[in-house]
Amino acid sequence: RAHLPGAGFFQWSITGLSFKVKSAVTITYRYTTWTGHLGEADQEIWVPARPLFHIEVQPGVVRVVHLPHFICLAEDVNTSLCSIAHFKSGKLTLERPTRLIAFTAVLENPSFSLLGVLWRRLRSTLNSLPMHSLVLIFQQFSAANTTLHLHLIPDDKSVKQAIEKQEMNWNSKLIPPFNPLFFGSIYRVTNSTCFLPLQAHLPFCYRSPKEQQLFVEIYVRNMAEEIGLLMTDTRNDTVVWRASLRSGRNSSTITWAWCLLGAAFMKKHKTKLCSRMRQLSTILLHLRDANIINSDEEEEVQGQDMSQRRNQVLLELSEKKGLEAQEQLYQILQMKDPYLIADLEKSS
């Protein structure tokens, strides 16, 4: 519940909800689940694209609401498949959003009930619908030696909170940007060290926060060595996520870190990337979508008069942003121009 003191635009960082209001107002909202509201027939047609919200507010005060979604728009998806679901008296009605932007669907002059973002399920496009996603790793302290739970979920705060609550009940602790994943696909989790045999397959799908979430359990008898984890898309054997785990200062805990390969690659091949990097507009769109660059920085890159100079400015900008920004750029290039990456890696 929040009391907004006057006219303005207000955003909730935890949920992703935003409201533009014309006067002071009190807004009450909570998560609810799609299960029980979206019938079986509707589930054959529609895929939830973020939580379902129950919102209560004085009518006529909210001019615009931004409802969060986890569809990756940088992948040139068909935005006409998006709708806003209203549930009134148990009946589903659909409304087209005023516009769709990164991370939110915008609805002007809204009425409120149970509200959420749905995406129309087309058999031909289900597996090619990219989602912003999260990998969560928990260490279960009540289990023998080192036992880890690896969850793969869409970037839905309500699902994340439900998993954290369940893991806390199991006496687990969360171990503190990422390629978009695809609903309906299977992801293979493996390790890069020979002493830990591991190969598990995890389907990527949406489950209501009240449902049991899928996870891979990893049992490690000896954490004396570092463990490298890889997640691979089984459709094309592309690595979409990687991390390393190692013993912490306390022998009963572990720490984890990204294996940041991008910085070393960018530094080594900077000259060739300046002359050979293509699809700059698409790359910039991905970087904007991942909040790596802002609109002013995008204009700075696009404002250069030669393609080689534009590439150079982008590479220098990613260097200034740090290791994770360079890793994001590396992952985008792997996705958009894999033959260039392969050729440069082969030459080294």
Side-chain angles (χ1 to χ4, degrees), residues 136-141 143-151 167 172-173 175 196 198 215-220 223 227 229 245-246 252-256:
L136 305 177
I137 301 178
F138 290 84
Q139 182 176 2
Q140 190 174 11
F141 287 100
N145 293 326
T146 302
T147 300
L148 309 174
H149 289 171
L150 187 150
H151 298 259
E167 290 286 353
S172 302
K173 182 179 180 181
I175 305 170
L196 176 66
L198 169 65
F215 63 88
V216 171
E217 183 169 275
I218 304 169
Y219 173 71
V220 185
M223 274 296 293
I227 300 170
L229 295 178
L245 301 114
R246 61 182 71 92
S252 66
T253 65
I254 62 173
T255 58
W256 76 298

PDB file of all heavy atoms in Angstrom, residues 136-141 143-151 167 172-173 175 196 198 215-220 223 227 229 245-246 252-256:
ATOM      1  N   LEU A 136      19.019 -18.945 -10.332  1.00  0.00           N
ATOM      2  CA  LEU A 136      19.176 -18.830  -8.881  1.00  0.00           C
ATOM      3  C   LEU A 136      19.877 -20.072  -8.363  1.00  0.00           C
ATOM      4  O   LEU A 136      19.477 -21.192  -8.683  1.00  0.00           O
ATOM      5  CB  LEU A 136      17.813 -18.696  -8.195  1.00  0.00           C
ATOM      6  CG  LEU A 136      16.894 -17.562  -8.672  1.00  0.00           C
ATOM      7  CD1 LEU A 136      15.565 -17.625  -7.928  1.00  0.00           C
ATOM      8  CD2 LEU A 136      17.553 -16.209  -8.460  1.00  0.00           C
ATOM      9  N   ILE A 137      20.933 -19.891  -7.579  1.00  0.00           N
ATOM     10  CA  ILE A 137      21.646 -21.007  -6.962  1.00  0.00           C
ATOM     11  C   ILE A 137      21.551 -20.865  -5.446  1.00  0.00           C
ATOM     12  O   ILE A 137      21.907 -19.832  -4.887  1.00  0.00           O
ATOM     13  CB  ILE A 137      23.123 -21.050  -7.390  1.00  0.00           C
ATOM     14  CG1 ILE A 137      23.251 -21.187  -8.907  1.00  0.00           C
ATOM     15  CG2 ILE A 137      23.841 -22.219  -6.710  1.00  0.00           C
ATOM     16  CD1 ILE A 137      24.681 -21.196  -9.396  1.00  0.00           C
ATOM     17  N   PHE A 138      21.050 -21.915  -4.782  1.00  0.00           N
ATOM     18  CA  PHE A 138      20.948 -21.946  -3.328  1.00  0.00           C
ATOM     19  C   PHE A 138      21.822 -23.068  -2.786  1.00  0.00           C
ATOM     20  O   PHE A 138      21.892 -24.154  -3.379  1.00  0.00           O
ATOM     21  CB  PHE A 138      19.501 -22.193  -2.884  1.00  0.00           C
ATOM     22  CG  PHE A 138      18.572 -21.044  -3.147  1.00  0.00           C
ATOM     23  CD1 PHE A 138      17.971 -20.888  -4.387  1.00  0.00           C
ATOM     24  CD2 PHE A 138      18.283 -20.115  -2.157  1.00  0.00           C
ATOM     25  CE1 PHE A 138      17.107 -19.837  -4.645  1.00  0.00           C
ATOM     26  CE2 PHE A 138      17.421 -19.056  -2.394  1.00  0.00           C
ATOM     27  CZ  PHE A 138      16.835 -18.915  -3.642  1.00  0.00           C
ATOM     28  N   GLN A 139      22.474 -22.822  -1.651  1.00  0.00           N
ATOM     29  CA  GLN A 139      23.174 -23.868  -0.933  1.00  0.00           C
ATOM     30  C   GLN A 139      22.292 -24.345   0.201  1.00  0.00           C
ATOM     31  O   GLN A 139      21.828 -23.548   1.021  1.00  0.00           O
ATOM     32  CB  GLN A 139      24.504 -23.371  -0.372  1.00  0.00           C
ATOM     33  CG  GLN A 139      25.282 -24.465   0.348  1.00  0.00           C
ATOM     34  CD  GLN A 139      26.641 -24.003   0.834  1.00  0.00           C
ATOM     35  OE1 GLN A 139      26.998 -22.842   0.662  1.00  0.00           O
ATOM     36  NE2 GLN A 139      27.390 -24.908   1.443  1.00  0.00           N
ATOM     37  N   GLN A 140      22.041 -25.657   0.269  1.00  0.00           N
ATOM     38  CA  GLN A 140      21.157 -26.222   1.285  1.00  0.00           C
ATOM     39  C   GLN A 140      21.999 -26.694   2.464  1.00  0.00           C
ATOM     40  O   GLN A 140      22.682 -27.713   2.399  1.00  0.00           O
ATOM     41  CB  GLN A 140      20.335 -27.375   0.697  1.00  0.00           C
ATOM     42  CG  GLN A 140      19.230 -27.838   1.621  1.00  0.00           C
ATOM     43  CD  GLN A 140      18.341 -28.873   0.967  1.00  0.00           C
ATOM     44  OE1 GLN A 140      18.659 -29.396  -0.085  1.00  0.00           O
ATOM     45  NE2 GLN A 140      17.224 -29.185   1.600  1.00  0.00           N
ATOM     46  N   PHE A 141      21.954 -25.962   3.572  1.00  0.00           N
ATOM     47  CA  PHE A 141      22.824 -26.245   4.706  1.00  0.00           C
ATOM     48  C   PHE A 141      22.388 -27.463   5.508  1.00  0.00           C
ATOM     49  O   PHE A 141      23.173 -28.030   6.253  1.00  0.00           O
ATOM     50  CB  PHE A 141      22.903 -25.013   5.627  1.00  0.00           C
ATOM     51  CG  PHE A 141      23.720 -23.909   5.049  1.00  0.00           C
ATOM     52  CD1 PHE A 141      23.102 -22.829   4.429  1.00  0.00           C
ATOM     53  CD2 PHE A 141      25.100 -23.934   5.087  1.00  0.00           C
ATOM     54  CE1 PHE A 141      23.853 -21.796   3.871  1.00  0.00           C
ATOM     55  CE2 PHE A 141      25.854 -22.919   4.542  1.00  0.00           C
ATOM     56  CZ  PHE A 141      25.236 -21.846   3.941  1.00  0.00           C
ATOM     57  N   ALA A 143      21.538 -30.291   4.255  1.00  0.00           N
ATOM     58  CA  ALA A 143      21.909 -31.507   3.536  1.00  0.00           C
ATOM     59  C   ALA A 143      23.375 -31.847   3.796  1.00  0.00           C
ATOM     60  O   ALA A 143      24.158 -31.028   4.262  1.00  0.00           O
ATOM     61  CB  ALA A 143      21.671 -31.328   2.036  1.00  0.00           C
ATOM     62  N   ALA A 144      23.728 -33.080   3.459  1.00  0.00           N
ATOM     63  CA  ALA A 144      25.101 -33.534   3.678  1.00  0.00           C
ATOM     64  C   ALA A 144      26.067 -32.829   2.731  1.00  0.00           C
ATOM     65  O   ALA A 144      25.737 -32.534   1.582  1.00  0.00           O
ATOM     66  CB  ALA A 144      25.181 -35.044   3.467  1.00  0.00           C
ATOM     67  N   ASN A 145      27.294 -32.589   3.253  1.00  0.00           N
ATOM     68  CA  ASN A 145      28.348 -31.949   2.477  1.00  0.00           C
ATOM     69  C   ASN A 145      27.822 -30.700   1.781  1.00  0.00           C
ATOM     70  O   ASN A 145      27.138 -29.888   2.369  1.00  0.00           O
ATOM     71  CB  ASN A 145      28.973 -32.942   1.491  1.00  0.00           C
ATOM     72  CG  ASN A 145      29.739 -34.039   2.217  1.00  0.00           C
ATOM     73  OD1 ASN A 145      30.339 -33.789   3.263  1.00  0.00           O
ATOM     74  ND2 ASN A 145      29.696 -35.238   1.683  1.00  0.00           N
ATOM     75  N   THR A 146      28.092 -30.543   0.479  1.00  0.00           N
ATOM     76  CA  THR A 146      27.617 -29.376  -0.268  1.00  0.00           C
ATOM     77  C   THR A 146      26.524 -29.798  -1.235  1.00  0.00           C
ATOM     78  O   THR A 146      26.781 -30.567  -2.165  1.00  0.00           O
ATOM     79  CB  THR A 146      28.773 -28.710  -1.036  1.00  0.00           C
ATOM     80  OG1 THR A 146      29.795 -28.340  -0.119  1.00  0.00           O
ATOM     81  CG2 THR A 146      28.272 -27.472  -1.765  1.00  0.00           C
ATOM     82  N   THR A 147      25.310 -29.332  -0.991  1.00  0.00           N
ATOM     83  CA  THR A 147      24.183 -29.606  -1.878  1.00  0.00           C
ATOM     84  C   THR A 147      23.652 -28.283  -2.400  1.00  0.00           C
ATOM     85  O   THR A 147      23.354 -27.376  -1.620  1.00  0.00           O
ATOM     86  CB  THR A 147      23.068 -30.362  -1.148  1.00  0.00           C
ATOM     87  OG1 THR A 147      23.588 -31.602  -0.655  1.00  0.00           O
ATOM     88  CG2 THR A 147      21.899 -30.651  -2.080  1.00  0.00           C
ATOM     89  N   LEU A 148      23.542 -28.171  -3.727  1.00  0.00           N
ATOM     90  CA  LEU A 148      23.100 -26.942  -4.370  1.00  0.00           C
ATOM     91  C   LEU A 148      21.792 -27.185  -5.110  1.00  0.00           C
ATOM     92  O   LEU A 148      21.574 -28.263  -5.663  1.00  0.00           O
ATOM     93  CB  LEU A 148      24.156 -26.447  -5.368  1.00  0.00           C
ATOM     94  CG  LEU A 148      25.599 -26.315  -4.857  1.00  0.00           C
ATOM     95  CD1 LEU A 148      26.525 -25.951  -6.016  1.00  0.00           C
ATOM     96  CD2 LEU A 148      25.677 -25.277  -3.770  1.00  0.00           C
ATOM     97  N   HIS A 149      20.930 -26.172  -5.124  1.00  0.00           N
ATOM     98  CA  HIS A 149      19.713 -26.185  -5.934  1.00  0.00           C
ATOM     99  C   HIS A 149      19.842 -25.089  -6.982  1.00  0.00           C
ATOM    100  O   HIS A 149      20.044 -23.925  -6.651  1.00  0.00           O
ATOM    101  CB  HIS A 149      18.463 -25.926  -5.078  1.00  0.00           C
ATOM    102  CG  HIS A 149      18.104 -27.059  -4.181  1.00  0.00           C
ATOM    103  ND1 HIS A 149      17.135 -26.968  -3.209  1.00  0.00           N
ATOM    104  CD2 HIS A 149      18.581 -28.328  -4.112  1.00  0.00           C
ATOM    105  CE1 HIS A 149      17.038 -28.132  -2.579  1.00  0.00           C
ATOM    106  NE2 HIS A 149      17.907 -28.963  -3.109  1.00  0.00           N
ATOM    107  N   LEU A 150      19.719 -25.452  -8.256  1.00  0.00           N
ATOM    108  CA  LEU A 150      19.799 -24.494  -9.356  1.00  0.00           C
ATOM    109  C   LEU A 150      18.422 -24.360  -9.988  1.00  0.00           C
ATOM    110  O   LEU A 150      17.857 -25.336 -10.469  1.00  0.00           O
ATOM    111  CB  LEU A 150      20.841 -24.949 -10.391  1.00  0.00           C
ATOM    112  CG  LEU A 150      21.165 -23.972 -11.516  1.00  0.00           C
ATOM    113  CD1 LEU A 150      22.610 -24.166 -11.993  1.00  0.00           C
ATOM    114  CD2 LEU A 150      20.224 -24.118 -12.716  1.00  0.00           C
ATOM    115  N   HIS A 151      17.874 -23.140  -9.950  1.00  0.00           N
ATOM    116  CA  HIS A 151      16.560 -22.843 -10.524  1.00  0.00           C
ATOM    117  C   HIS A 151      16.739 -22.007 -11.781  1.00  0.00           C
ATOM    118  O   HIS A 151      17.582 -21.110 -11.835  1.00  0.00           O
ATOM    119  CB  HIS A 151      15.703 -22.041  -9.541  1.00  0.00           C
ATOM    120  CG  HIS A 151      15.394 -22.746  -8.263  1.00  0.00           C
ATOM    121  ND1 HIS A 151      14.180 -23.358  -8.028  1.00  0.00           N
ATOM    122  CD2 HIS A 151      16.132 -22.927  -7.134  1.00  0.00           C
ATOM    123  CE1 HIS A 151      14.188 -23.887  -6.806  1.00  0.00           C
ATOM    124  NE2 HIS A 151      15.353 -23.631  -6.249  1.00  0.00           N
ATOM    125  N   GLU A 167      13.000 -22.109  -0.289  1.00  0.00           N
ATOM    126  CA  GLU A 167      14.380 -22.481   0.015  1.00  0.00           C
ATOM    127  C   GLU A 167      14.750 -22.122   1.453  1.00  0.00           C
ATOM    128  O   GLU A 167      15.514 -22.843   2.105  1.00  0.00           O
ATOM    129  CB  GLU A 167      15.342 -21.809  -0.973  1.00  0.00           C
ATOM    130  CG  GLU A 167      15.273 -22.358  -2.396  1.00  0.00           C
ATOM    131  CD  GLU A 167      15.929 -23.728  -2.537  1.00  0.00           C
ATOM    132  OE1 GLU A 167      16.555 -24.197  -1.567  1.00  0.00           O
ATOM    133  OE2 GLU A 167      15.812 -24.340  -3.618  1.00  0.00           O
ATOM    134  N   SER A 172      18.097 -23.161   3.277  1.00  0.00           N
ATOM    135  CA  SER A 172      19.014 -22.861   2.186  1.00  0.00           C
ATOM    136  C   SER A 172      19.329 -21.370   2.174  1.00  0.00           C
ATOM    137  O   SER A 172      18.598 -20.552   2.732  1.00  0.00           O
ATOM    138  CB  SER A 172      18.401 -23.252   0.839  1.00  0.00           C
ATOM    139  OG  SER A 172      18.072 -24.621   0.804  1.00  0.00           O
ATOM    140  N   LYS A 173      20.403 -21.021   1.489  1.00  0.00           N
ATOM    141  CA  LYS A 173      20.817 -19.626   1.381  1.00  0.00           C
ATOM    142  C   LYS A 173      21.197 -19.337  -0.065  1.00  0.00           C
ATOM    143  O   LYS A 173      21.912 -20.108  -0.694  1.00  0.00           O
ATOM    144  CB  LYS A 173      22.005 -19.331   2.304  1.00  0.00           C
ATOM    145  CG  LYS A 173      22.459 -17.880   2.277  1.00  0.00           C
ATOM    146  CD  LYS A 173      23.631 -17.653   3.227  1.00  0.00           C
ATOM    147  CE  LYS A 173      24.080 -16.196   3.183  1.00  0.00           C
ATOM    148  NZ  LYS A 173      25.235 -15.953   4.088  1.00  0.00           N
ATOM    149  N   ILE A 175      23.198 -17.951  -3.030  1.00  0.00           N
ATOM    150  CA  ILE A 175      24.586 -17.587  -3.281  1.00  0.00           C
ATOM    151  C   ILE A 175      24.568 -16.391  -4.253  1.00  0.00           C
ATOM    152  O   ILE A 175      24.131 -16.570  -5.405  1.00  0.00           O
ATOM    153  CB  ILE A 175      25.351 -18.778  -3.883  1.00  0.00           C
ATOM    154  CG1 ILE A 175      25.221 -20.001  -2.983  1.00  0.00           C
ATOM    155  CG2 ILE A 175      26.809 -18.441  -4.076  1.00  0.00           C
ATOM    156  CD1 ILE A 175      25.746 -21.269  -3.609  1.00  0.00           C
ATOM    157  N   LEU A 196      33.420 -33.875 -10.985  1.00  0.00           N
ATOM    158  CA  LEU A 196      32.000 -33.766 -10.635  1.00  0.00           C
ATOM    159  C   LEU A 196      31.161 -34.139 -11.859  1.00  0.00           C
ATOM    160  O   LEU A 196      30.844 -33.284 -12.675  1.00  0.00           O
ATOM    161  CB  LEU A 196      31.655 -32.345 -10.181  1.00  0.00           C
ATOM    162  CG  LEU A 196      30.173 -32.073  -9.869  1.00  0.00           C
ATOM    163  CD1 LEU A 196      29.731 -32.886  -8.657  1.00  0.00           C
ATOM    164  CD2 LEU A 196      29.936 -30.587  -9.636  1.00  0.00           C
ATOM    165  N   LEU A 198      28.237 -34.378 -14.022  1.00  0.00           N
ATOM    166  CA  LEU A 198      26.948 -33.687 -13.966  1.00  0.00           C
ATOM    167  C   LEU A 198      26.443 -33.445 -15.370  1.00  0.00           C
ATOM    168  O   LEU A 198      27.132 -32.871 -16.210  1.00  0.00           O
ATOM    169  CB  LEU A 198      27.088 -32.337 -13.240  1.00  0.00           C
ATOM    170  CG  LEU A 198      25.876 -31.391 -13.330  1.00  0.00           C
ATOM    171  CD1 LEU A 198      24.673 -31.993 -12.622  1.00  0.00           C
ATOM    172  CD2 LEU A 198      26.218 -30.025 -12.740  1.00  0.00           C
ATOM    173  N   PHE A 215      13.792 -27.568 -10.304  1.00  0.00           N
ATOM    174  CA  PHE A 215      15.183 -27.210 -10.070  1.00  0.00           C
ATOM    175  C   PHE A 215      16.067 -28.434 -10.271  1.00  0.00           C
ATOM    176  O   PHE A 215      15.602 -29.570 -10.289  1.00  0.00           O
ATOM    177  CB  PHE A 215      15.390 -26.615  -8.666  1.00  0.00           C
ATOM    178  CG  PHE A 215      15.076 -27.565  -7.525  1.00  0.00           C
ATOM    179  CD1 PHE A 215      16.048 -28.418  -7.015  1.00  0.00           C
ATOM    180  CD2 PHE A 215      13.813 -27.585  -6.957  1.00  0.00           C
ATOM    181  CE1 PHE A 215      15.770 -29.275  -5.969  1.00  0.00           C
ATOM    182  CE2 PHE A 215      13.520 -28.439  -5.899  1.00  0.00           C
ATOM    183  CZ  PHE A 215      14.506 -29.294  -5.405  1.00  0.00           C
ATOM    184  N   VAL A 216      17.359 -28.175 -10.442  1.00  0.00           N
ATOM    185  CA  VAL A 216      18.369 -29.233 -10.510  1.00  0.00           C
ATOM    186  C   VAL A 216      19.093 -29.273  -9.174  1.00  0.00           C
ATOM    187  O   VAL A 216      19.542 -28.230  -8.676  1.00  0.00           O
ATOM    188  CB  VAL A 216      19.379 -28.964 -11.645  1.00  0.00           C
ATOM    189  CG1 VAL A 216      20.550 -29.942 -11.568  1.00  0.00           C
ATOM    190  CG2 VAL A 216      18.696 -29.066 -13.002  1.00  0.00           C
ATOM    191  N   GLU A 217      19.208 -30.442  -8.557  1.00  0.00           N
ATOM    192  CA  GLU A 217      19.972 -30.583  -7.316  1.00  0.00           C
ATOM    193  C   GLU A 217      21.370 -31.091  -7.654  1.00  0.00           C
ATOM    194  O   GLU A 217      21.530 -32.104  -8.353  1.00  0.00           O
ATOM    195  CB  GLU A 217      19.279 -31.538  -6.346  1.00  0.00           C
ATOM    196  CG  GLU A 217      20.002 -31.649  -5.006  1.00  0.00           C
ATOM    197  CD  GLU A 217      19.196 -32.370  -3.947  1.00  0.00           C
ATOM    198  OE1 GLU A 217      18.368 -31.716  -3.278  1.00  0.00           O
ATOM    199  OE2 GLU A 217      19.397 -33.599  -3.813  1.00  0.00           O
ATOM    200  N   ILE A 218      22.374 -30.382  -7.161  1.00  0.00           N
ATOM    201  CA  ILE A 218      23.775 -30.715  -7.425  1.00  0.00           C
ATOM    202  C   ILE A 218      24.434 -31.068  -6.099  1.00  0.00           C
ATOM    203  O   ILE A 218      24.464 -30.249  -5.172  1.00  0.00           O
ATOM    204  CB  ILE A 218      24.507 -29.525  -8.074  1.00  0.00           C
ATOM    205  CG1 ILE A 218      23.780 -29.100  -9.361  1.00  0.00           C
ATOM    206  CG2 ILE A 218      25.963 -29.872  -8.370  1.00  0.00           C
ATOM    207  CD1 ILE A 218      24.257 -27.771  -9.924  1.00  0.00           C
ATOM    208  N   TYR A 219      24.957 -32.281  -5.994  1.00  0.00           N
ATOM    209  CA  TYR A 219      25.614 -32.738  -4.770  1.00  0.00           C
ATOM    210  C   TYR A 219      27.122 -32.774  -4.992  1.00  0.00           C
ATOM    211  O   TYR A 219      27.607 -33.389  -5.943  1.00  0.00           O
ATOM    212  CB  TYR A 219      25.095 -34.122  -4.390  1.00  0.00           C
ATOM    213  CG  TYR A 219      25.839 -34.758  -3.232  1.00  0.00           C
ATOM    214  CD1 TYR A 219      25.686 -34.273  -1.939  1.00  0.00           C
ATOM    215  CD2 TYR A 219      26.701 -35.835  -3.444  1.00  0.00           C
ATOM    216  CE1 TYR A 219      26.366 -34.851  -0.876  1.00  0.00           C
ATOM    217  CE2 TYR A 219      27.380 -36.413  -2.392  1.00  0.00           C
ATOM    218  CZ  TYR A 219      27.210 -35.916  -1.118  1.00  0.00           C
ATOM    219  OH  TYR A 219      27.889 -36.480  -0.068  1.00  0.00           O
ATOM    220  N   VAL A 220      27.854 -32.092  -4.131  1.00  0.00           N
ATOM    221  CA  VAL A 220      29.305 -31.998  -4.254  1.00  0.00           C
ATOM    222  C   VAL A 220      29.928 -32.591  -3.000  1.00  0.00           C
ATOM    223  O   VAL A 220      29.763 -32.055  -1.898  1.00  0.00           O
ATOM    224  CB  VAL A 220      29.772 -30.526  -4.415  1.00  0.00           C
ATOM    225  CG1 VAL A 220      31.275 -30.484  -4.671  1.00  0.00           C
ATOM    226  CG2 VAL A 220      29.005 -29.846  -5.531  1.00  0.00           C
ATOM    227  N   MET A 223      34.564 -29.880  -2.056  1.00  0.00           N
ATOM    228  CA  MET A 223      34.664 -28.557  -2.682  1.00  0.00           C
ATOM    229  C   MET A 223      36.095 -28.034  -2.664  1.00  0.00           C
ATOM    230  O   MET A 223      36.347 -26.839  -2.666  1.00  0.00           O
ATOM    231  CB  MET A 223      33.752 -27.564  -1.962  1.00  0.00           C
ATOM    232  CG  MET A 223      32.320 -27.567  -2.471  1.00  0.00           C
ATOM    233  SD  MET A 223      32.167 -27.032  -4.184  1.00  0.00           S
ATOM    234  CE  MET A 223      32.626 -25.316  -4.031  1.00  0.00           C
ATOM    235  N   ILE A 227      34.477 -25.376  -9.141  1.00  0.00           N
ATOM    236  CA  ILE A 227      33.526 -26.032 -10.039  1.00  0.00           C
ATOM    237  C   ILE A 227      33.032 -25.017 -11.064  1.00  0.00           C
ATOM    238  O   ILE A 227      32.594 -23.928 -10.701  1.00  0.00           O
ATOM    239  CB  ILE A 227      32.319 -26.584  -9.254  1.00  0.00           C
ATOM    240  CG1 ILE A 227      32.775 -27.601  -8.213  1.00  0.00           C
ATOM    241  CG2 ILE A 227      31.296 -27.211 -10.200  1.00  0.00           C
ATOM    242  CD1 ILE A 227      31.672 -27.997  -7.257  1.00  0.00           C
ATOM    243  N   LEU A 229      30.163 -24.264 -13.854  1.00  0.00           N
ATOM    244  CA  LEU A 229      28.843 -24.688 -14.317  1.00  0.00           C
ATOM    245  C   LEU A 229      28.519 -24.016 -15.644  1.00  0.00           C
ATOM    246  O   LEU A 229      28.770 -22.819 -15.813  1.00  0.00           O
ATOM    247  CB  LEU A 229      27.768 -24.341 -13.286  1.00  0.00           C
ATOM    248  CG  LEU A 229      27.846 -25.051 -11.936  1.00  0.00           C
ATOM    249  CD1 LEU A 229      26.730 -24.544 -11.020  1.00  0.00           C
ATOM    250  CD2 LEU A 229      27.751 -26.558 -12.106  1.00  0.00           C
ATOM    251  N   LEU A 245      32.063 -21.830  -9.071  1.00  0.00           N
ATOM    252  CA  LEU A 245      31.803 -21.910  -7.641  1.00  0.00           C
ATOM    253  C   LEU A 245      33.066 -22.396  -6.945  1.00  0.00           C
ATOM    254  O   LEU A 245      33.762 -23.276  -7.457  1.00  0.00           O
ATOM    255  CB  LEU A 245      30.644 -22.863  -7.351  1.00  0.00           C
ATOM    256  CG  LEU A 245      29.319 -22.490  -8.005  1.00  0.00           C
ATOM    257  CD1 LEU A 245      28.934 -23.542  -9.029  1.00  0.00           C
ATOM    258  CD2 LEU A 245      28.238 -22.322  -6.976  1.00  0.00           C
ATOM    259  N   ARG A 246      33.345 -21.833  -5.790  1.00  0.00           N
ATOM    260  CA  ARG A 246      34.541 -22.229  -5.050  1.00  0.00           C
ATOM    261  C   ARG A 246      34.257 -22.137  -3.550  1.00  0.00           C
ATOM    262  O   ARG A 246      33.297 -21.493  -3.124  1.00  0.00           O
ATOM    263  CB  ARG A 246      35.724 -21.342  -5.420  1.00  0.00           C
ATOM    264  CG  ARG A 246      35.516 -19.870  -5.116  1.00  0.00           C
ATOM    265  CD  ARG A 246      36.720 -19.035  -5.571  1.00  0.00           C
ATOM    266  NE  ARG A 246      36.767 -18.969  -7.024  1.00  0.00           N
ATOM    267  CZ  ARG A 246      36.187 -17.999  -7.737  1.00  0.00           C
ATOM    268  NH1 ARG A 246      35.493 -17.062  -7.137  1.00  0.00           N
ATOM    269  NH2 ARG A 246      36.286 -18.000  -9.043  1.00  0.00           N
ATOM    270  N   SER A 252      32.229 -24.415   5.278  1.00  0.00           N
ATOM    271  CA  SER A 252      30.861 -24.887   5.066  1.00  0.00           C
ATOM    272  C   SER A 252      30.114 -24.039   4.041  1.00  0.00           C
ATOM    273  O   SER A 252      28.966 -24.314   3.727  1.00  0.00           O
ATOM    274  CB  SER A 252      30.085 -24.872   6.382  1.00  0.00           C
ATOM    275  OG  SER A 252      29.920 -23.537   6.840  1.00  0.00           O
ATOM    276  N   THR A 253      30.733 -22.986   3.532  1.00  0.00           N
ATOM    277  CA  THR A 253      30.062 -22.116   2.569  1.00  0.00           C
ATOM    278  C   THR A 253      30.829 -22.082   1.259  1.00  0.00           C
ATOM    279  O   THR A 253      31.996 -22.432   1.187  1.00  0.00           O
ATOM    280  CB  THR A 253      29.942 -20.678   3.101  1.00  0.00           C
ATOM    281  OG1 THR A 253      31.262 -20.119   3.241  1.00  0.00           O
ATOM    282  CG2 THR A 253      29.240 -20.649   4.437  1.00  0.00           C
ATOM    283  N   ILE A 254      30.142 -21.645   0.219  1.00  0.00           N
ATOM    284  CA  ILE A 254      30.794 -21.476  -1.081  1.00  0.00           C
ATOM    285  C   ILE A 254      30.466 -20.090  -1.619  1.00  0.00           C
ATOM    286  O   ILE A 254      29.517 -19.437  -1.185  1.00  0.00           O
ATOM    287  CB  ILE A 254      30.345 -22.555  -2.101  1.00  0.00           C
ATOM    288  CG1 ILE A 254      28.839 -22.458  -2.372  1.00  0.00           C
ATOM    289  CG2 ILE A 254      30.709 -23.935  -1.634  1.00  0.00           C
ATOM    290  CD1 ILE A 254      28.362 -23.363  -3.464  1.00  0.00           C
ATOM    291  N   THR A 255      31.262 -19.629  -2.529  1.00  0.00           N
ATOM    292  CA  THR A 255      31.006 -18.371  -3.209  1.00  0.00           C
ATOM    293  C   THR A 255      30.938 -18.662  -4.699  1.00  0.00           C
ATOM    294  O   THR A 255      31.405 -19.694  -5.170  1.00  0.00           O
ATOM    295  CB  THR A 255      32.115 -17.339  -2.939  1.00  0.00           C
ATOM    296  OG1 THR A 255      33.370 -17.888  -3.371  1.00  0.00           O
ATOM    297  CG2 THR A 255      32.209 -17.017  -1.459  1.00  0.00           C
ATOM    298  N   TRP A 256      30.340 -17.728  -5.440  1.00  0.00           N
ATOM    299  CA  TRP A 256      30.255 -17.932  -6.883  1.00  0.00           C
ATOM    300  C   TRP A 256      30.547 -16.644  -7.608  1.00  0.00           C
ATOM    301  O   TRP A 256      30.470 -15.558  -7.058  1.00  0.00           O
ATOM    302  CB  TRP A 256      28.898 -18.500  -7.295  1.00  0.00           C
ATOM    303  CG  TRP A 256      27.765 -17.531  -7.315  1.00  0.00           C
ATOM    304  CD1 TRP A 256      27.257 -16.833  -6.257  1.00  0.00           C
ATOM    305  CD2 TRP A 256      27.003 -17.133  -8.450  1.00  0.00           C
ATOM    306  NE1 TRP A 256      26.212 -16.043  -6.645  1.00  0.00           N
ATOM    307  CE2 TRP A 256      26.037 -16.197  -7.978  1.00  0.00           C
ATOM    308  CE3 TRP A 256      27.028 -17.481  -9.799  1.00  0.00           C
ATOM    309  CZ2 TRP A 256      25.118 -15.618  -8.840  1.00  0.00           C
ATOM    310  CZ3 TRP A 256      26.102 -16.891 -10.639  1.00  0.00           C
ATOM    311  CH2 TRP A 256      25.166 -15.978 -10.160  1.00  0.00           C
TER     312      TRP A 256
END
